[in-house]
Amino acid sequence: MIRVKVPATTANIGPGFDAIGIALNLYNYVDIEKRSDHQQNIQFTSDFTIEDSQNLTLTALIYTLERYSAVTRGFDLIIHENNIPLSRGLGSSAAAIVAGIYCANYLLDNRLSQQEIINMATELEGHPDNVVPAILGNMVISVFQNKQVTYSVVEIDADLIFKVLIPSFELSTSKARAAMPKEYPLCDCVNNISKVSLLVSAFYSKNYALLEVALQDHIHEPYRLPLIPDSNKILDQLKAIGLYGSFISGAGPTLIGLTDNANDSFDTQIEAHLNSLSHKWTLRSLTADTQGAQYIPL
C-alpha cells in the first residue's frame, strides 16, 4: 500500500484566468493497495463519503487504467483524508483527479511520465491552472493546446503568507463561469495582459510591492464578486489592513489576501470583521506547497 498526497491550489491569481495557479499546504490523502484478484473496492476512513459516479478520484483512476489497457487491475482505494473543501475555489476537483491518476500510475508500476500525468489531468479537468501546480508545486504558468501542456514554474518565497478566507457557502464553477460575458472590450483584454505580465514578474523577482496593481482583474472578478455575499466588504477591509493585495481564489467563493510574517495583527483585525458578516467565514493561514503531489510509503 502507498499513500498519495495532493495539495490544494488557488487559480487565476487575479488576472491570470485559466493560466496561473499556486499550490498551497493544505492536502488530501488517498491510499491505494494492489490486489492479486480483479476486485476493485472503495473505502472511506472519515465521515466524508461520495457516490462512485461523483468520485473524481475513482473516475480518474479508472480512466487512466482504461487508457493503458489495464482496467481489470484489482485495487483497494481508501479515501484517507479530504481536507480541501468542496466547491470553494481551492482545487478540490483538481486534487481528486491528480490523486486518481497517481493511484493508477502506482498500479501501472509507475510507467507514466510526469508530462503524461500533466496532460491527462488537464484533459480531465478541462484547463491546467489547478492540476499542474497540484502536480508540480509552487506557481505554474500553463498553456494547453493540441492536447499538450507547456508550463513554467516560479518558486514561491516561504515568507509569503496566503490568508485564505473560506465561507460556509459553496459556489459551483459552472455558475461562476456562466456569470462571465462571452466577449470583452479590447481595452479590458490589454489591461489584463499587462497585469498578468506584471504579476509573473512580481512573483519571479519577489517584488511584492507590485502586487497591489498586478492582482487587479477585468476578465472574471467583476462578474463573480456579486455571487459572493459580502465580498466587496471583505476586500475593502483587506485593503484597509494593508496587505500586498487580494483576489478571488479560482472561481470562488474563497478570497485570499497576501502578506508576510511581519504582519502579525492581521488575524485579529480580519476575524473581528468576519464575525460581523451574515455568513460564517473561516480564516486559514497557508503557504505555498513546493513539492506538489507525492507518494508516501506506508
Side-chain angles (χ1 to χ4, degrees):
M1 179 182 289
I2 201 163
R3 182 161 294 165
V4 178
K5 173 185 177 183
V6 186
T9 48
T10 178
N12 300 328
I13 324 298
F17 181 71
D18 276 5
I20 298 179
I22 299 175
L24 301 173
N25 66 336
L26 178 67
Y27 304 98
N28 283 355
Y29 297 88
V30 176
D31 296 348
I32 186 75
E33 184 171 17
K34 298 176 181 178
R35 293 179 63 104
S36 57
D37 55 25
H38 300 313
Q39 294 294 314
Q40 298 177 345
N41 298 318
I42 301 94
Q43 305 172 35
F44 298 87
T45 61
S46 67
D47 293 336
F48 174 83
T49 59
I50 191 169
E51 296 292 331
D52 287 355
S53 62
Q54 298 177 316
N55 189 333
L56 289 179
T57 298
L58 178 62
T59 298
L61 193 167
I62 298 299
Y63 178 87
T64 307
L65 293 181
E66 289 177 344
R67 176 75 70 88
Y68 289 88
S69 302
V71 72
T72 59
R73 293 286 175 96
F75 59 83
D76 289 321
L77 174 67
I78 304 170
I79 309 298
H80 182 64
E81 286 186 37
N82 206 76
N83 296 311
I84 304 171
L86 301 177
S87 299
R88 298 301 199 283
L90 289 169
S92 60
S93 63
I97 288 169
V98 170
I101 296 175
Y102 267 66
C103 287
N105 190 39
Y106 171 72
L107 297 176
L108 294 168
D109 299 320
N110 299 309
R111 74 166 70 168
L112 279 69
S113 68
Q114 187 175 75
Q115 186 66 53
E116 286 175 312
I117 293 172
I118 287 171
N119 290 342
M120 195 178 307
T122 302
E123 180 182 337
L124 286 169
E125 176 78 343
H127 42 89
D129 52 344
N130 286 106
V131 293
V132 185
I135 294 166
L136 300 176
N138 282 298
M139 169 189 271
V140 187
I141 304 100
S142 306
V143 176
F144 185 44
Q145 60 182 11
N146 301 322
K147 298 184 178 181
Q148 181 80 11
V149 179
T150 303
Y151 60 86
S152 179
V153 177
V154 177
E155 294 185 1
I156 301 297
D157 197 323
D159 289 338
L160 190 64
I161 307 299
F162 295 74
K163 294 295 185 178
V164 182
L165 309 177
I166 308 170
S168 56
F169 55 88
E170 299 181 357
L171 176 60
S172 69
T173 300
S174 58
K175 183 177 180 179
R177 284 186 178 272
M180 297 169 55
K182 302 299 182 184
E183 297 180 352
Y184 293 88
L186 178 61
C187 60
D188 285 348
C189 297
V190 171
N191 192 290
N192 260 54
I193 290 170
S194 62
K195 296 288 178 54
V196 78
S197 301
L198 191 65
L199 179 73
V200 174
S201 176
F203 278 103
Y204 185 79
S205 65
K206 306 188 190 309
N207 183 2
Y208 300 129
L210 297 174
L211 291 177
E212 182 179 2
V213 172
L215 286 169
Q216 297 170 12
D217 169 75
H218 289 257
I219 298 297
H220 71 106
E221 290 200 353
Y223 308 99
R224 289 173 166 175
L225 285 172
L227 303 178
I228 306 172
D230 295 321
S231 55
N232 283 314
K233 292 180 182 179
I234 294 171
L235 293 178
D236 287 345
Q237 183 66 17
L238 293 177
K239 186 175 182 179
I241 292 173
L243 304 187
Y244 291 130
S246 55
F247 55 92
I248 299 175
S249 184
T254 292
L255 306 174
I256 294 181
L258 294 175
T259 182
D260 56 36
N261 288 326
N263 198 329
D264 296 328
S265 64
F266 173 86
D267 290 6
T268 301
Q269 294 181 65
I270 195 62
E271 285 182 337
H273 180 71
L274 295 177
N275 289 336
S276 69
L277 302 177
S278 55
H279 293 273
K280 178 178 172 56
W281 292 74
T282 300
L283 172 65
R284 297 288 301 266
S285 295
L286 302 177
T287 57
D289 169 89
T290 60
Q291 302 298 315
Q294 292 179 288
Y295 290 116
I296 302 174
L298 295 175

